Amino acid sequence: KKKNAKSNTLNTPAEWGPFEVMRARSLIEAEIAALAAEFANAQDIKAMATALKGMQKDAKAGRIPRDSDIAFHMAIANACVNSVLQDTLKGYLQARTGPLFERLGDYFESPASWVAAIAEHQEVLSAIEAHDPQAARKSMQKHLKQAHKRFSASWRSAPSRH
């Protein structure tokens, strides 16, 4: 079969472009957070809080808290009680292991950027704990918008490798 000219679909999350993934995450994760605020139980909230504490501990020790960050976002997805959205988020998070994401992460991820991200995560958690879907949606949108800004700023300031 001949491929349609517009059909340049990439097969694996590792091949997805970082900025496309971040735009998709801001749409989907905002709704995941809103659903989590509606449906999260005490165990879900504890999982989010534990992941956030792990992020804080890693950042304080000077380590990039990537694993705790993934655990935090997946705990929110698990609380939304929708397996399709959970799997969608897993794909987005897998994309972060792609070569372009990894290279950009070296520029983007710093102690200062993680301090800001952790504060944003706390806002998301507080909204979910309050069972306020609208606040959860807005705080997740804010977090991912800020993450996009930090990421794109690092893209613009990254030294050329030519």
Side-chain angles (χ1 to χ4, degrees), residues 100 102-108 151-162:
L100 188 53
E102 288 285 330
R103 190 164 345 129
L104 287 175
D106 291 343
Y107 297 114
F108 154 65
F151 207 74
S152 60
S154 71
W155 173 265
R156 290 188 300 271
S157 66
S160 175
R161 300 227 181 210
H162 297 292

Side-chain angles (χ1 to χ4, degrees), residues 48-133:
M48 292 172 218
T50 299
L52 184 58
K53 283 183 183 122
M55 289 176 68
Q56 292 164 334
K57 182 180 175 188
D58 285 344
K60 191 174 185 177
R63 294 185 299 266
I64 300 296
R66 201 174 291 157
D67 291 343
S68 301
D69 179 53
I70 289 170
F72 180 82
H73 286 272
M74 284 309 303
I76 294 171
N78 292 338
C80 88
V81 296
N82 184 309
S83 60
V84 174
L85 291 173
Q86 291 165 2
D87 285 348
T88 300
L89 182 58
K90 279 181 194 169
Y92 294 159
L93 296 174
Q94 285 172 0
R96 290 170 57 172
T97 64
L100 188 53
F101 251 108
E102 288 285 330
R103 190 164 345 129
L104 287 175
D106 291 343
Y107 297 114
F108 154 65
E109 295 175 326
S110 68
S113 70
W114 279 105
V115 166
I118 289 167
E120 294 158 13
H121 284 83
Q122 182 59 62
E123 286 181 35
V124 173
L125 177 56
S126 295
I128 292 171
E129 284 177 313
H131 297 286
D132 185 339

